Amino acid sequence: MIKLNQAALARLPDGVAGPAYARSNVARSIVHIGVGGFFRAHQAVYLDRLLHLPDQAEWGYCGVGLLPHDAGIRDAMLAQDCLYTVLERSAQGDVPRVIGSVLEFLYAPDDAEAVLEKLADPGTRIVALTITEGGYYINQGNGEFDAAHPDIAHDLAHPRTPRCSFGYLAEALQRRRDRGLMPFTVMSCDNLQNNGDLTRSMLLAFAGLRDPGLADWLARHGAFPNSMVDRITPVTTDEHRALLRQRFGLADAWPVTTEPFLQWVIEDHFPAGRPAWELVGAQMTDDVAPYELMKLRLLNAGHQALCYIGMLLGYEFAHEAVGDAGIRQLLGRMLDAEVTPLLPAVAGIDLALYKRTLVERFANPAIRDQLARIGTDGSARIPKFVLPSVREQLARGGPTTLLAFTVACWFRYLAGRSDQGIALPLNDVHAERLRDKALRGGEDPADLLSLHELFGELSDDPRFAAQMTDALGRLYRDGTRAALNHVLAATQ
């Protein structure tokens, strides 16, 4: 058994590849906030591939954890010299690779000043984010900055000891401005439409509350490229750690498993320079919008369509849910009839093939992607992935029956138990409020629909309310399977 660290790279087990470049020579010029599984399976993999090419050592990652729950990844990364294993899984077998593009890890609760100075350092040229949808402090109902959030109030009052990413970014940018440095490029890698534009808007709003002069400077000199990212990455479990030990003889405290597929489309706007990501398969473009719209409305909305109904029917994993003939029909019909007609043509993409590939990816049994993971933060994901299609179809008088059924399944899931009486996990920043409204309202969706910060004008739309009332009532009265059969029969 080989314990993963820098010294172990010279004697990795057979079948396990690792970095063939000198990690000590790689600059730590990109700070990445949010070193979760997705970043480690996606952006860090691209850079690891790039570092194997000649003359690319000016780009390497310093990872940052801001939240108390990042202590686990801190301990794992530091004990392993920031090395970890990516295990690509498919029906064709498992392919492990040790990734070396993360050179350093800083944990903000231990030393906020070290994080702030790393961000303010002139050698930091890009700051990238995977902080999930909830980390941008957006009022989901009107799309504006949530200035009343307790984290924002704290960071405005205590700028040198911030809690949230915007507090850290603003303080570091203020220091750079005071020192005569230009801003770093801020690059969101989260699953949000127009993620760069959104980051710019939210950060400028925060900076304006702190110092209008800082906001003006950042508006004039800052860069916020949009990007689209895609790779299914389940939560790491003890089963994954055991698999690496038993099959490959490698002890890794925090490996990450993923599918073979990965995609990255990036708007090419980096005034301080950037890695040559296009050399390792990323697509640089002037307009990310068509690609991200396709992904958010098809893949991400598709995930929402299968995860809540899947959990209500007693399934645990995505491949089990998509293997259910009824759920598969629901997914296919919703995407074909209610989402695809809203999408523009995407250069180089066959949408029919893209959707078939999505289903194949969801059905990959080796990934064992937990429905509970896919259903995390529904209060952020439903408004971003599902409701925009509802709004557009209602505006054009188009069909929304299956989209509304998907939202109704989320409402039913919020009540906390499957049809079999099994307790369902609810991991959401608004969990207590959502569950309270779901239990109080029961088969009447009015309480949940009244959340204007989530539903906006849809809260008062009689057509959507009628569809929700019908679907949710059937889910409660007849059960999930009968409600699914009814909606499929009604949309043939």
Side-chain angles (χ1 to χ4, degrees):
M1 185 67 59
I2 295 176
K3 183 178 179 180
L4 184 58
N5 54 35
Q6 182 65 33
L9 292 182
R11 50 189 180 88
L12 289 175
D14 290 343
V16 181
Y21 49 87
R23 297 178 75 226
S24 59
N25 295 336
V26 178
R28 302 165 188 187
S29 50
I30 309 175
V31 173
H32 192 99
I33 298 175
V35 184
F38 183 77
F39 158 73
R40 294 185 299 130
H42 191 275
Q43 297 96 56
V45 168
Y46 275 97
L47 196 56
D48 182 80
R49 292 178 178 180
L50 187 63
L51 288 170
H52 281 89
L53 301 181
D55 303 320
Q56 302 298 327
E58 66 178 305
W59 300 104
Y61 281 114
C62 169
V64 168
L66 297 184
L67 304 175
H69 70 238
D70 291 323
I73 190 68
R74 171 204 61 191
D75 295 343
M77 294 291 279
L78 295 181
Q80 297 179 174
D81 299 316
C82 294
L83 295 163
Y84 63 94
T85 312
V86 168
L87 185 64
E88 291 186 5
R89 310 202 70 191
S90 70
Q92 286 68 50
D94 296 332
V95 180
R97 183 174 192 89
V98 174
I99 302 300
S101 56
V102 182
L103 291 310
E104 181 182 10
F105 186 90
L106 300 176
Y107 180 59
D110 282 348
D111 193 343
E113 185 62 21
V115 173
L116 289 167
E117 279 301 302
K118 177 61 182 176
L119 291 167
D121 189 280
T124 297
R125 298 161 68 183
I126 299 172
V127 176
L129 309 171
T130 45
I131 54 177
T132 76
E133 296 88 350
Y136 292 83
Y137 300 95
I138 308 161
N139 181 310
Q140 298 294 344
N142 59 23
E144 299 298 323
F145 182 64
D146 185 3
H149 194 284
D151 289 348
I152 301 303
H154 174 276
D155 286 7
L156 290 171
H158 306 89
R160 298 185 65 86
T161 55
R163 288 178 182 168
C164 72
S165 56
F166 288 165
Y168 276 93
L169 293 174
E171 173 64 17
L173 287 163
Q174 181 66 63
R175 295 183 186 191
R176 292 176 75 103
R177 181 185 178 215
D178 292 344
R179 296 168 188 176
L181 300 173
M182 293 298 288
F184 41 69
T185 298
V186 181
M187 182 185 191
S188 171
C189 297
D190 279 302
N191 287 317
L192 296 166
Q193 190 172 355
N194 302 314
N195 55 13
D197 296 337
L198 179 67
T199 304
R200 181 182 190 276
S201 176
M202 297 299 110
L203 182 56
L204 287 178
F206 177 84
L209 293 173
R210 174 189 164 123
D211 177 359
L214 174 63
D216 179 66
W217 174 79
L218 186 57
R220 285 185 286 113
H221 300 293
F224 300 83
N226 294 299
S227 67
M228 186 274 273
V229 296
D230 191 5
R231 197 174 209 190
I232 295 173
T233 308
V235 173
T236 298
T237 66
D238 287 338
E239 179 184 353
H240 299 142
R241 298 179 179 91
L243 186 154
L244 270 180
R245 289 194 303 269
Q246 295 163 9
R247 188 177 303 174
F248 297 101
L250 187 64
D252 186 337
W254 213 310
V256 58
T257 63
T258 191
E259 61 177 336
F261 179 93
L262 78 168
Q263 186 179 22
W264 199 4
V265 184
I266 310 167
E267 183 178 279
D268 200 355
H269 182 44
F270 292 83
R274 64 167 177 83
W277 288 301
E278 67 273 17
L279 297 181
V280 288
Q283 183 175 351
M284 308 304 298
T285 182
D286 293 331
D287 187 9
V288 170
Y291 299 90
E292 64 184 4
L293 184 65
M294 171 191 73
K295 190 252 182 178
L296 295 171
R297 298 286 187 93
L298 295 175
L299 183 145
N300 296 118
H303 262 158
Q304 301 301 289
L306 67 87
C307 72
Y308 302 115
I309 191 170
M311 285 187 279
L312 290 172
L313 289 172
Y315 297 122
E316 183 179 0
F317 299 105
H319 71 274
E320 296 172 336
V322 83
D324 182 296
I327 295 178
R328 197 168 184 132
Q329 287 182 61
L330 170 69
L331 175 65
R333 289 187 196 174
M334 187 189 86
L335 297 184
D336 287 344
E338 298 186 5
V339 179
T340 301
L342 305 172
L343 299 177
V346 184
I349 300 291
D350 178 334
L351 285 180
L353 176 60
Y354 182 82
K355 286 182 287 187
R356 289 197 298 272
T357 301
L358 284 186
V359 175
E360 291 170 3
R361 293 168 63 194
F362 294 164
N364 183 345
I367 291 297
R368 297 176 66 79
D369 197 7
Q370 293 182 321
L371 297 176
R373 181 198 74 85
I374 298 169
T376 296
D377 286 330
S379 65
R381 297 182 179 190
I382 289 286
K384 292 298 181 187
F385 305 151
V386 179
L387 298 186
S389 293
V390 173
R391 289 188 177 92
E392 289 185 33
Q393 287 288 20
L394 289 174
R396 61 168 64 181
T400 56
T401 302
L402 299 170
L403 289 162
F405 184 77
T406 293
V407 181
C409 287
W410 179 51
F411 280 16
R412 171 65 183 84
Y413 154 84
L414 292 174
R417 292 196 177 274
S418 71
D419 282 6
Q420 298 79 24
I422 299 170
L424 299 174
L426 178 54
N427 186 0
D428 195 292
V429 293
H430 302 296
E432 185 175 347
R433 186 182 182 197
L434 290 169
R435 181 148 289 170
D436 178 67
K437 283 184 172 292
L439 291 172
R440 187 167 62 242
E443 63 182 72
D444 183 352
D447 256 6
L448 284 163
L449 285 176
S450 71
L451 293 170
H452 283 265
E453 66 269 30
L454 301 186
F455 291 96
E457 78 285 357
L458 288 176
S459 295
D460 305 311
D461 190 293
R463 296 164 297 175
F464 185 60
Q467 289 180 327
M468 289 293 298
T469 299
D470 179 70
L472 190 60
R474 291 181 186 278
L475 286 164
Y476 272 98
R477 293 191 306 270
D478 305 333
T480 304
R481 178 64 66 185
L484 174 60
N485 290 339
H486 177 271
V487 79
L488 290 175
T491 55
Q492 282 184 334

